Amino acid sequence: MKKHLLPTVALLILSACGKDDSSTPTPNNPNPSQQKCKPVSIEFVAELGTNGTTHWADSFVLDANQAITQVIHKYSANSIVFNYHYNNGRIVKIDRIENGSLYYTDSLFWNSNNMIERVKVYHSTGLSKDILFTYTGNRITQREINYYPSNDYLKQTYTYGSKGELLKTEFYDKAAALEFSYTYSYLATGITNKLYDNSQKVLQDIHWNMDDWETSVYDVFNYSALIPASIQYFEKGSPAVSYTLTTDTNSNGYITRLKSNGRDVTNISYMCK
Protein backbone atom coordinates (compact mmCIF):
# COMPACT_ATOMS: atom_id res chain seq x y z
CA MET A 1 0.00 0.00 0.00
CA LYS A 2 1.23 3.43 -0.96
CA LYS A 3 1.67 5.72 2.04
CA HIS A 4 1.85 9.38 1.21
CA LEU A 5 0.23 12.54 2.45
CA LEU A 6 -1.34 15.67 1.11
CA PRO A 7 -2.29 16.26 -2.60
CA THR A 8 -2.62 19.18 -5.04
CA VAL A 9 -4.88 19.89 -8.00
CA ALA A 10 -5.66 22.33 -10.73
CA LEU A 11 -6.58 21.52 -14.25
CA LEU A 12 -7.49 25.16 -14.15
CA ILE A 13 -4.35 27.17 -13.52
CA LEU A 14 -4.47 28.96 -10.19
CA SER A 15 -4.86 32.64 -10.90
CA ALA A 16 -6.14 33.99 -7.60
CA CYS A 17 -3.64 32.72 -5.06
CA GLY A 18 -2.94 34.86 -2.06
CA LYS A 19 0.61 35.64 -1.18
CA ASP A 20 2.58 33.03 0.76
CA ASP A 21 2.01 34.48 4.20
CA SER A 22 3.43 31.66 6.33
CA SER A 23 4.06 33.97 9.30
CA THR A 24 0.38 34.34 10.18
CA PRO A 25 -2.35 31.71 10.55
CA THR A 26 -5.08 34.08 9.35
CA PRO A 27 -6.41 34.33 5.77
CA ASN A 28 -4.60 36.85 3.60
CA ASN A 29 -7.73 38.92 3.00
CA PRO A 30 -10.21 38.39 5.86
CA ASN A 31 -13.62 39.91 5.11
CA PRO A 32 -16.94 38.99 6.75
CA SER A 33 -18.81 39.61 3.47
CA GLN A 34 -16.73 37.15 1.46
CA GLN A 35 -18.30 34.96 -1.21
CA LYS A 36 -18.88 31.24 -0.84
CA CYS A 37 -16.61 29.12 -3.02
CA LYS A 38 -16.77 25.58 -4.36
CA PRO A 39 -13.79 23.67 -5.78
CA VAL A 40 -13.62 23.24 -9.54
CA SER A 41 -10.28 21.47 -9.57
CA ILE A 42 -7.79 19.88 -7.21
CA GLU A 43 -4.23 18.93 -8.03
CA PHE A 44 -2.06 16.54 -6.04
CA VAL A 45 1.48 17.66 -6.71
CA ALA A 46 3.83 15.76 -4.44
CA GLU A 47 4.20 13.87 -1.20
CA LEU A 48 4.81 15.78 2.00
CA GLY A 49 8.24 17.36 2.12
CA THR A 50 9.22 16.35 -1.43
CA ASN A 51 9.58 18.10 -4.74
CA GLY A 52 7.51 16.86 -7.64
CA THR A 53 5.37 17.60 -10.64
CA THR A 54 1.65 16.92 -10.74
CA HIS A 55 0.96 13.45 -9.42
CA TRP A 56 -2.64 13.54 -10.56
CA ALA A 57 -5.45 16.03 -10.84
CA ASP A 58 -9.24 16.23 -10.92
CA SER A 59 -11.48 18.89 -12.38
CA PHE A 60 -15.13 19.07 -11.32
CA VAL A 61 -18.17 19.76 -13.49
CA LEU A 62 -20.90 21.50 -11.45
CA ASP A 63 -24.58 21.97 -12.27
CA ALA A 64 -26.62 25.15 -11.75
CA ASN A 65 -26.92 24.32 -8.05
CA GLN A 66 -23.14 23.82 -7.77
CA ALA A 67 -23.54 20.07 -7.25
CA ILE A 68 -20.82 17.86 -8.73
CA THR A 69 -22.09 16.00 -11.79
CA GLN A 70 -18.76 14.82 -13.18
CA VAL A 71 -15.12 14.50 -12.18
CA ILE A 72 -12.53 14.49 -14.95
CA HIS A 73 -9.42 12.68 -13.77
CA LYS A 74 -5.97 13.26 -15.24
CA TYR A 75 -3.61 10.41 -14.58
CA SER A 76 -0.92 9.09 -16.97
CA ALA A 77 -2.39 8.58 -20.45
CA ASN A 78 -5.70 7.12 -19.31
CA SER A 79 -8.96 8.90 -20.01
CA ILE A 80 -10.87 8.59 -16.70
CA VAL A 81 -14.22 10.23 -15.95
CA PHE A 82 -16.49 9.83 -12.91
CA ASN A 83 -20.20 10.40 -13.59
CA TYR A 84 -22.39 11.25 -10.57
CA HIS A 85 -26.01 10.15 -10.21
CA TYR A 86 -28.43 11.69 -7.66
CA ASN A 87 -31.69 10.79 -5.96
CA ASN A 88 -33.50 13.44 -3.91
CA GLY A 89 -30.40 15.61 -3.96
CA ARG A 90 -28.03 12.91 -2.66
CA ILE A 91 -25.35 11.05 -4.61
CA VAL A 92 -26.41 7.41 -4.94
CA LYS A 93 -24.10 6.16 -7.68
CA ILE A 94 -20.75 7.08 -9.23
CA ASP A 95 -19.68 5.42 -12.48
CA ARG A 96 -15.97 5.34 -13.26
CA ILE A 97 -15.37 5.34 -17.01
CA GLU A 98 -11.90 4.49 -18.33
CA ASN A 99 -11.13 4.94 -22.02
CA GLY A 100 -14.84 4.88 -22.80
CA SER A 101 -15.70 1.72 -20.83
CA LEU A 102 -17.32 1.27 -17.41
CA TYR A 103 -14.61 0.22 -14.96
CA TYR A 104 -16.10 0.70 -11.47
CA THR A 105 -19.49 1.61 -10.04
CA ASP A 106 -19.80 3.04 -6.53
CA SER A 107 -23.16 2.64 -4.79
CA LEU A 108 -23.67 5.08 -1.89
CA PHE A 109 -26.02 4.53 1.05
CA TRP A 110 -27.09 7.30 3.44
CA ASN A 111 -28.32 7.30 7.03
CA SER A 112 -31.22 9.28 8.49
CA ASN A 113 -28.85 12.12 9.44
CA ASN A 114 -27.94 12.67 5.79
CA MET A 115 -24.47 11.18 6.21
CA ILE A 116 -22.92 8.48 4.02
CA GLU A 117 -22.90 5.23 5.99
CA ARG A 118 -21.79 2.74 3.34
CA VAL A 119 -20.19 2.63 -0.09
CA LYS A 120 -20.05 -0.52 -2.18
CA VAL A 121 -17.56 -0.46 -5.04
CA TYR A 122 -18.22 -2.86 -7.90
CA HIS A 123 -15.81 -3.95 -10.62
CA SER A 124 -16.81 -5.92 -13.72
CA THR A 125 -15.79 -9.04 -11.79
CA GLY A 126 -18.07 -8.26 -8.81
CA LEU A 127 -17.77 -6.51 -5.44
CA SER A 128 -14.36 -4.84 -5.02
CA LYS A 129 -14.74 -2.80 -1.80
CA ASP A 130 -17.30 -2.49 0.96
CA ILE A 131 -16.72 0.69 2.98
CA LEU A 132 -18.54 1.24 6.29
CA PHE A 133 -18.69 4.57 8.15
CA THR A 134 -19.30 5.19 11.87
CA TYR A 135 -20.28 8.59 13.30
CA THR A 136 -20.55 10.24 16.69
CA GLY A 137 -23.04 13.03 16.22
CA ASN A 138 -22.12 14.59 12.90
CA ARG A 139 -18.46 13.61 12.98
CA ILE A 140 -17.01 10.55 11.34
CA THR A 141 -15.09 8.45 13.87
CA GLN A 142 -14.33 5.29 11.91
CA ARG A 143 -14.09 3.99 8.36
CA GLU A 144 -13.70 0.29 7.62
CA ILE A 145 -12.72 -1.00 4.19
CA ASN A 146 -13.22 -4.64 3.22
CA TYR A 147 -11.45 -5.63 0.00
CA TYR A 148 -12.61 -8.40 -2.35
CA PRO A 149 -11.77 -11.01 -3.50
CA SER A 150 -8.61 -10.78 -1.32
CA ASN A 151 -10.64 -10.45 1.92
CA ASP A 152 -8.12 -7.84 3.07
CA TYR A 153 -9.22 -5.22 5.58
CA LEU A 154 -8.23 -1.71 6.69
CA LYS A 155 -9.74 0.36 9.49
CA GLN A 156 -9.25 4.09 9.86
CA THR A 157 -10.14 5.92 13.10
CA TYR A 158 -10.55 9.67 13.65
CA THR A 159 -9.89 11.70 16.81
CA TYR A 160 -10.96 15.34 17.29
CA GLY A 161 -10.21 18.28 19.57
CA SER A 162 -12.65 20.59 21.36
CA LYS A 163 -12.81 23.00 18.40
CA GLY A 164 -13.72 20.31 15.90
CA GLU A 165 -10.16 20.08 14.64
CA LEU A 166 -8.92 16.69 13.44
CA LEU A 167 -6.17 15.56 15.83
CA LYS A 168 -5.25 12.12 14.54
CA THR A 169 -6.12 9.47 11.99
CA GLU A 170 -4.90 5.93 12.57
CA PHE A 171 -4.92 2.96 10.19
CA TYR A 172 -5.19 -0.63 11.44
CA ASP A 173 -4.86 -3.92 9.59
CA LYS A 174 -6.97 -7.07 9.87
CA ALA A 175 -5.08 -8.15 13.00
CA ALA A 176 -5.86 -4.77 14.65
CA ALA A 177 -2.18 -3.76 14.42
CA LEU A 178 -1.43 -0.08 13.80
CA GLU A 179 0.01 0.28 10.30
CA PHE A 180 0.45 4.06 10.08
CA SER A 181 -1.00 7.30 11.38
CA TYR A 182 -1.23 11.06 10.85
CA THR A 183 -1.14 13.42 13.86
CA TYR A 184 -2.19 17.03 13.27
CA SER A 185 -1.06 20.07 15.31
CA TYR A 186 -2.50 23.58 15.26
CA LEU A 187 -1.54 27.12 16.14
CA ALA A 188 -3.40 28.83 19.01
CA THR A 189 -5.47 30.74 16.47
CA GLY A 190 -5.66 28.18 13.67
CA ILE A 191 -6.79 29.10 10.19
CA THR A 192 -10.43 28.23 9.59
CA ASN A 193 -11.14 25.48 7.05
CA LYS A 194 -13.86 27.02 4.91
CA LEU A 195 -14.52 23.76 3.09
CA TYR A 196 -15.59 22.14 6.36
CA ASP A 197 -19.37 21.90 6.58
CA ASN A 198 -21.19 19.43 8.81
CA SER A 199 -24.32 19.39 6.68
CA GLN A 200 -22.73 18.96 3.26
CA LYS A 201 -19.11 17.96 2.70
CA VAL A 202 -17.90 19.99 -0.25
CA LEU A 203 -15.45 17.35 -1.47
CA GLN A 204 -17.05 14.29 0.19
CA ASP A 205 -14.17 12.01 -0.73
CA ILE A 206 -14.79 12.79 -4.39
CA HIS A 207 -14.32 9.13 -5.23
CA TRP A 208 -13.38 6.07 -3.24
CA ASN A 209 -10.55 4.40 -5.13
CA MET A 210 -7.79 6.45 -3.50
CA ASP A 211 -4.69 5.38 -1.65
CA ASP A 212 -4.07 6.71 1.85
CA TRP A 213 -2.11 9.73 0.59
CA GLU A 214 -5.10 11.21 -1.18
CA THR A 215 -7.42 10.09 1.61
CA SER A 216 -5.41 12.02 4.18
CA VAL A 217 -5.84 15.24 2.22
CA TYR A 218 -9.56 14.88 1.77
CA ASP A 219 -9.86 14.01 5.46
CA VAL A 220 -8.33 17.36 6.42
CA PHE A 221 -10.67 19.35 4.18
CA ASN A 222 -13.81 17.28 4.89
CA TYR A 223 -13.56 16.54 8.59
CA SER A 224 -11.43 19.20 10.30
CA ALA A 225 -12.80 22.59 11.31
CA LEU A 226 -9.26 24.04 11.21
CA ILE A 227 -6.29 23.66 8.87
CA PRO A 228 -3.29 22.14 10.71
CA ALA A 229 0.03 23.96 11.06
CA SER A 230 2.03 20.73 11.13
CA ILE A 231 1.55 17.04 10.61
CA GLN A 232 3.44 14.04 11.89
CA TYR A 233 3.47 10.83 9.89
CA PHE A 234 4.23 7.49 11.49
CA GLU A 235 4.60 4.16 9.72
CA LYS A 236 5.20 0.86 11.48
CA GLY A 237 8.90 0.03 11.50
CA SER A 238 10.02 3.58 10.68
CA PRO A 239 10.69 6.71 12.75
CA ALA A 240 8.03 9.42 12.83
CA VAL A 241 8.49 12.31 10.41
CA SER A 242 7.13 15.84 10.96
CA TYR A 243 6.15 18.40 8.34
CA THR A 244 5.37 22.11 8.69
CA LEU A 245 2.33 23.21 6.71
CA THR A 246 1.76 26.65 5.22
CA THR A 247 -1.02 27.91 2.97
CA ASP A 248 -2.02 30.45 0.37
CA THR A 249 -5.63 31.65 0.29
CA ASN A 250 -7.80 33.48 -2.21
CA SER A 251 -9.52 36.79 -1.44
CA ASN A 252 -12.45 34.86 0.07
CA GLY A 253 -10.24 33.05 2.58
CA TYR A 254 -10.29 29.60 0.94
CA ILE A 255 -7.10 27.54 0.79
CA THR A 256 -5.72 27.60 -2.74
CA ARG A 257 -2.30 26.11 -2.05
CA LEU A 258 -1.15 23.79 0.72
CA LYS A 259 2.58 23.36 1.26
CA SER A 260 4.74 21.10 3.39
CA ASN A 261 8.15 22.46 4.39
CA GLY A 262 7.65 25.16 1.76
CA ARG A 263 6.93 22.76 -1.11
CA ASP A 264 3.62 22.50 -2.94
CA VAL A 265 1.48 19.53 -1.98
CA THR A 266 -2.10 20.39 -2.95
CA ASN A 267 -3.59 23.15 -5.11
CA ILE A 268 -7.29 23.95 -5.37
CA SER A 269 -9.16 26.23 -7.78
CA TYR A 270 -12.64 27.55 -7.02
CA MET A 271 -15.82 29.04 -8.41
CA CYS A 272 -16.98 31.77 -6.03
CA LYS A 273 -20.26 33.64 -5.90
Side-chain angles (χ1 to χ4, degrees):
M1 176 178 293
K2 199 174 168 184
K3 297 176 176 61
H4 300 290
L5 203 50
L6 296 127
T8 312
V9 174
L11 293 185
L12 301 179
I13 301 300
L14 291 173
S15 59
C17 284
K19 63 186 177 67
D20 181 11
D21 190 1
S22 58
S23 63
T24 174
T26 60
N28 297 332
N29 297 286
N31 184 339
S33 62
Q34 292 166 341
Q35 297 175 311
K36 290 187 177 296
C37 301
K38 277 208 170 181
V40 292
S41 70
I42 184 167
E43 177 188 24
F44 299 92
V45 175
E47 302 176 24
L48 284 183
T50 66
N51 288 317
T53 56
T54 299
H55 181 65
W56 61 264
D58 287 335
S59 61
F60 314 141
V61 179
L62 309 178
D63 64 14
N65 296 317
Q66 288 191 297
I68 295 174
T69 60
Q70 190 175 71
V71 174
I72 301 171
H73 185 61
K74 179 183 178 182
Y75 181 77
S76 301
N78 292 340
S79 174
I80 302 176
V81 175
F82 297 85
N83 292 322
Y84 283 60
H85 303 271
Y86 290 79
N87 184 21
N88 293 324
R90 299 191 298 192
I91 302 167
V92 294
K93 187 175 77 163
I94 305 173
D95 289 328
R96 173 173 171 151
I97 310 297
E98 290 198 19
N99 299 319
S101 300
L102 179 63
Y103 193 68
Y104 280 108
T105 292
D106 301 348
S107 293
L108 282 67
F109 303 87
W110 299 72
N111 64 23
S112 58
N113 294 322
N114 204 35
M115 307 292 284
I116 294 175
E117 64 180 4
R118 190 172 195 172
V119 177
K120 289 188 173 183
V121 182
Y122 294 92
H123 188 260
S124 58
T125 57
L127 183 63
S128 175
K129 292 181 184 179
D130 190 359
I131 309 172
L132 303 175
F133 299 79
T134 301
Y135 299 89
T136 298
N138 53 21
R139 290 178 186 162
I140 184 171
T141 54
Q142 180 173 288
R143 174 164 46 199
E144 298 174 271
I145 307 176
N146 292 280
Y147 299 87
Y148 301 95
S150 66
N151 289 320
D152 201 359
Y153 171 88
L154 184 68
K155 180 173 74 174
Q156 182 180 7
T157 62
Y158 301 83
T159 303
Y160 301 88
S162 60
K163 297 178 181 179
E165 72 277 26
L166 186 61
L167 295 180
K168 180 177 285 189
T169 62
E170 296 177 306
F171 295 77
Y172 295 88
D173 64 14
K174 202 169 189 177
L178 179 64
E179 288 290 311
F180 56 98
S181 66
Y182 298 106
T183 301
Y184 307 93
S185 299
Y186 300 82
L187 298 177
T189 53
I191 185 170
T192 300
N193 174 16
K194 287 202 163 189
L195 290 182
Y196 173 79
D197 183 341
N198 285 327
S199 62
Q200 182 185 6
K201 300 292 182 265
V202 179
L203 294 177
Q204 197 60 271
D205 280 348
I206 294 303
H207 48 82
W208 310 101
N209 299 300
M210 302 185 295
D211 65 23
D212 57 83
W213 174 35
E214 288 85 26
T215 298
S216 68
V217 178
Y218 283 114
D219 284 347
V220 167
F221 284 113
N222 278 331
Y223 306 131
S224 183
L226 302 174
I227 297 295
S230 64
I231 186 166
Q232 184 180 76
Y233 173 66
F234 169 77
E235 183 177 353
K236 183 173 65 177
S238 301
V241 182
S242 296
Y243 303 94
T244 298
L245 302 183
T246 53
T247 61
D248 289 347
T249 63
N250 63 16
S251 60
N252 294 294
Y254 287 78
I255 303 297
T256 56
R257 182 170 292 165
L258 183 65
K259 306 173 186 179
S260 70
N261 297 346
R263 296 165 175 165
D264 284 5
V265 175
T266 304
N267 297 325
I268 303 177
S269 291
Y270 299 87
M271 177 172 66
C272 303
K273 67 179 183 179

